[in-house]
Amino acid sequence: MFERVAGLIAEQLKIDVATITPQSRLLEDLNADSANIMMLIMDLESELGIMVEDDALMRLRTVGDVVEYIEKCKK
């Protein structure tokens, strides 16, 4: 799942996927802004068939947080 999420992030932010780790912070390390994050969430919802709760968005700070959230949703 990490590779899939990292690929989507790299595509969205136009960065090298090799620079993304589970500890990478979306805002501080990857320079994502709120529009990037919203597009990423919409892409994840569409591709994975999940629904990200609005209140969860504030808790998704790292790539690992996103992966963990998706894995919980997929259960």
Side-chain angles (χ1 to χ4, degrees), residues 22-51:
Q23 296 78 28
S24 296
R25 295 172 297 175
L26 297 169
L27 300 175
E28 296 88 345
D29 299 329
L30 303 179
N31 298 317
D33 61 23
S34 58
N36 295 133
I37 292 173
M38 289 307 300
M39 289 299 296
L40 173 65
I41 296 302
M42 290 190 315
D43 289 347
L44 289 169
E45 288 176 334
S46 175
E47 185 169 317
L48 301 174
I50 62 170
M51 188 64 164

Side-chain angles (χ1 to χ4, degrees), residues 55-62 65 69:
D55 64 328
L57 291 175
M58 299 305 291
R59 296 190 308 269
L60 302 178
R61 299 194 186 289
T62 67
D65 292 342
Y69 182 83

